[in-house]
Structures are given as structure tokens and as C-alpha cells.
């Protein structure tokens, strides 16, 4: 994350001027890149944090120094009160959130027969219940304000591709897809659009164990027709258009950002 390089895009390239965004998991790889990209497009952005308050504050300072607007808020997406408080803080500081990026997510590896209930619950809790709590709060705020908005869910290719030893993760992302589509139907008549962004293999901390093992890194590459791992910016740059008025007719769909991983390159 090159914070010194932060600058707003030229005025006529900005897609999100006047918008108020809240990004969860904003101090991590894809979350941080997304928060910065939204800010570069002119959105006022709430950067959440759990333990990395320094990172969040540094991001806010960089955005502000570059002419953007941002604030930091402590948020545990699994905690209802914490979610309600984070949206209230954003409303006071920046205005009603009209662009949620529900990005906070975790993954752990475990064969089914060894999977502890605690592991299952934790992954579902952060990835799926967290998305639900944030979506509900965003939708409540928009409905109360009679405003339009966009809810973006950071899903995964694993909303579609089964993944051995990550069944809880796949359940959370597959669940996210149908959750998103169901609420997309509920909210569309109110001018609130819901979409998924589904990254493939992105070189961020969540994949460090794989990236550090040459064989595993190559094995993943074999699943990517485009021939390279993705970068956080590949995902971040795919978000603003979907969230902007330019994509006003895009409702309830998933945008895969995966170098072709969902084309099943090894199926012959
Ligand atoms: C996971 C990564 C994985 C990728 C492709 C993502 O959802 O977070 O760990 O490399 O899917 O399998």
C-alpha cells in the first residue's frame, strides 16, 4: 500500500463525487486498496479497523492530505452494537452511507472431519453474518433517508467453485451470493443496488502461506488462464464503476475478478 502516492483522480474521471462509503476490513489488502480507490474517485470514506488503528489513521491522513475525505472507526462486524455505532459515527462525520463495501473476511483450512465447530462458526460469523449486519444497517440508513445507494459484497470465486478443506469458507461465500441476490430483489424497488465482486487468487496477506511455498504458488497459477496472480488493485479498480451511477442498471450480479479462474482451465 503506497500511501505517499495517494491522490485524487482528475475531476472528470471521478466516479463517486459526493458519495459516502464505508469499507469493512479496510486495513487489509483488498480492503485498503478499495478504500483508497473509492477516495480517489471522490467518495468520503470510513476506514474501519479492529486492531490496526495505526494503519487506519495513516490511511485517513494520506487521503486527507491528498485532498480527499475520510474518517476511521473501530468496528467488529460480528457485533451488532458495534456495526450500528460505526454507521452512526459515519453519519455524523461524513453523512449517510450510500456505498457499503462489505469486505471483511477470514479463511482457515480444515478437512471436514477435523473441523472444529468454533472454526466453522467463526468463518460464517465474520464472512456472512458480518455482511448481513452491515447490509442491514446500510439499508436501514438509506431507507430512513429515502436515498439511493449501492451495497457491494466482497465475495470470492468460491461463491461458485467448491474448495476442499475450505468448506466453511465456501459456505460463507455461496451464502453471500444468495443473500446478496435475495436482498437485491427487496431493495431494488427503493433504488438500492446490490452486487458481488468475486476475486480469484490475489497476492495479499490472506494467501501468504501459499505465496511463500513455490510449489503451491505454481499450482494456483495453473488455475489462472491469464497467467498471473491478481493484485489488490486489480480488485479495487473493479469496484468504483459498479458502485457508480454509470452502472445504474447493474443489479444482483457478480463481477468475477479472477484472471479466468472460473473458466475451469484444467477441465478437459
Ligand atoms: C481466497 C484465496 C484463494 C482464492 C482462489 C479466495 O477467495 O481468499 O485464498 O487463493 O480464493 O482459490
Amino acid at each position: 500500500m503506497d500511501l505517499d502516492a495517494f491522490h485524487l483522480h482528475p475531476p472528470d474521471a471521478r466516479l463517486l463525487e459526493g458519495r459516502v462509503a464505508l469499507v469493512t476490513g479496510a486495513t487489509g489488502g483488498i480492503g485498503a486498496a478499495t478504500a483508497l480507490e473509492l477516495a480517489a474517485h471522490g467518495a468520503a470514506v470510513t476506514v474501519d479497523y479492529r486492531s490496526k488503528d495505526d494503519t487506519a489513521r495513516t490511511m485517513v491522513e494520506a487521503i486527507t492530505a491528498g485532498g480527499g475525505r475520510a474518517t476511521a472507526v473501530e468496528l467488529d462486524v460480528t457485533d451488532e452494537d458495534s456495526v450500528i455505532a460505526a454507521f452512526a459515527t459515519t453519519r455524523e462525520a461524513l453523512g449517510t452511507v450510500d456505498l457499503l463495501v462489505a469486505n471483511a473476511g477470514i479463511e482457515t483450512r480444515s478437512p471436514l472431519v477435523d473441523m472444529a465447530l468454533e472454526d466453522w462458526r467463526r468463518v460464517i460469523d465474520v464472512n456472512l453474518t458480518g455482511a448481513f449486519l452491515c447490509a442491514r444497517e446500510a439499508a436501514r440508513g438509506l431507507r430512513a433517508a429515502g436515498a439511493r445507494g449501492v451495497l457491494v459484497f466482497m465475495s470470492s470465486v468460491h461463491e461458485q467453485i467448491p474448495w476442499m478443506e475450505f468448506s466453511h469458507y465456501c459456505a460463507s461465500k455461496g451464502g453471500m451470493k444468495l443473500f446478496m441476490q435475495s436482498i437485491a430483489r427487496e431493495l431494488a424497488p427503493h433504488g438500492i443496488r446490490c452486487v458481488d465482486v468475486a476475486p480469484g487468487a490475489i497476492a495479499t496477506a490472506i494467501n501468504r502461506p501459499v505465496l511463500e511455498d513455490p510449489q503451491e504458488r505454481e499450482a494456483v497459477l495453473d488455475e489462472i488462464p491469464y497467467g498471473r496472480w491478481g493484485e489488490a488493485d486489480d480488485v479495487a479498480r473493479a469496484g468504483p464503476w459498479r458502485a457508480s451511477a454509470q452502472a445504474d442498471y447493474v443489479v444482483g450480479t457478480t463481477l468475477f475478478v479472477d484472471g479466468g479462474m472460473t473458466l475451469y482451465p484444467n477441465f478437459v
Side-chain angles (χ1 to χ4, degrees):
M1 183 173 30
D2 185 4
L3 288 174
D4 290 339
F6 178 83
H7 59 269
L8 291 173
H9 294 316
D12 52 5
R14 288 179 210 156
L15 292 170
L16 302 171
E17 207 76 76
R19 301 283 294 276
V20 177
L22 186 149
V23 181
T24 70
T27 54
I30 290 175
T34 298
L36 294 171
E37 188 62 15
L38 299 182
H41 274 282
V45 180
T46 288
V47 174
D48 82 336
Y49 64 88
R50 286 207 65 199
S51 55
K52 295 198 249 168
D53 50 331
D54 283 355
T55 308
R57 271 185 253 287
T58 312
M59 286 171 66
V60 168
E61 278 163 23
I63 292 169
T64 312
R69 288 179 71 206
T71 192
V73 71
E74 188 173 5
L75 171 59
D76 174 356
V77 295
T78 68
D79 180 313
E80 188 172 29
D81 292 339
S82 174
V83 171
I84 291 169
F87 275 79
T89 305
T90 302
R91 193 158 43 241
E92 278 156 35
L94 306 172
T96 299
V97 172
D98 64 4
L99 169 48
L100 166 69
V101 182
N103 164 77
I106 55 169
E107 74 186 48
T108 57
R109 178 176 208 145
S110 173
L112 174 64
V113 291
D114 298 329
M115 192 179 290
L117 175 58
E118 199 186 341
D119 281 352
W120 169 270
R121 283 203 171 125
R122 185 77 194 134
V123 168
I124 298 292
D125 216 23
V126 175
N127 297 7
L128 191 53
T129 308
F132 152 68
L133 286 172
C134 292
R136 189 184 65 177
E137 205 51 29
R140 283 178 174 168
L142 288 166
R143 294 298 310 281
R148 306 169 76 85
V150 181
L151 314 188
V152 178
F153 298 90
M154 201 57 74
S155 175
S156 161
V157 290
H158 299 297
E159 70 167 44
Q160 178 177 312
I161 305 177
W163 195 12
M164 289 190 296
E165 302 185 356
F166 291 87
S167 57
H168 46 358
Y169 183 77
C170 290
S172 74
K173 298 299 185 180
M176 176 179 265
K177 178 190 170 193
L178 274 169
F179 170 65
M180 178 280 289
Q181 291 183 324
S182 302
I183 64 168
R185 286 188 59 181
E186 281 182 44
L187 298 174
H190 303 285
I192 302 170
R193 298 189 293 113
C194 300
V195 292
D196 271 8
V197 171
I202 310 298
T204 62
I206 210 170
N207 283 315
R208 191 169 293 133
V210 175
L211 287 163
E212 283 171 355
D213 179 321
Q215 267 184 335
E216 283 203 51
R217 199 175 56 216
E218 279 305 306
V220 171
L221 213 46
D222 204 37
E223 304 287 344
I224 308 171
Y226 206 54
R228 67 169 174 87
W229 277 70
E231 301 296 330
D233 278 342
D234 288 316
V235 182
R237 290 187 188 127
W241 175 78
R242 297 215 101 198
S244 77
Q246 303 279 321
D248 194 49
Y249 210 48
V250 179
V251 174
T253 59
T254 295
L255 174 66
F256 289 97
V257 186
D258 67 351
M261 190 178 249
T262 36
L263 301 175
Y264 299 96
N266 291 317
F267 182 82
V268 285

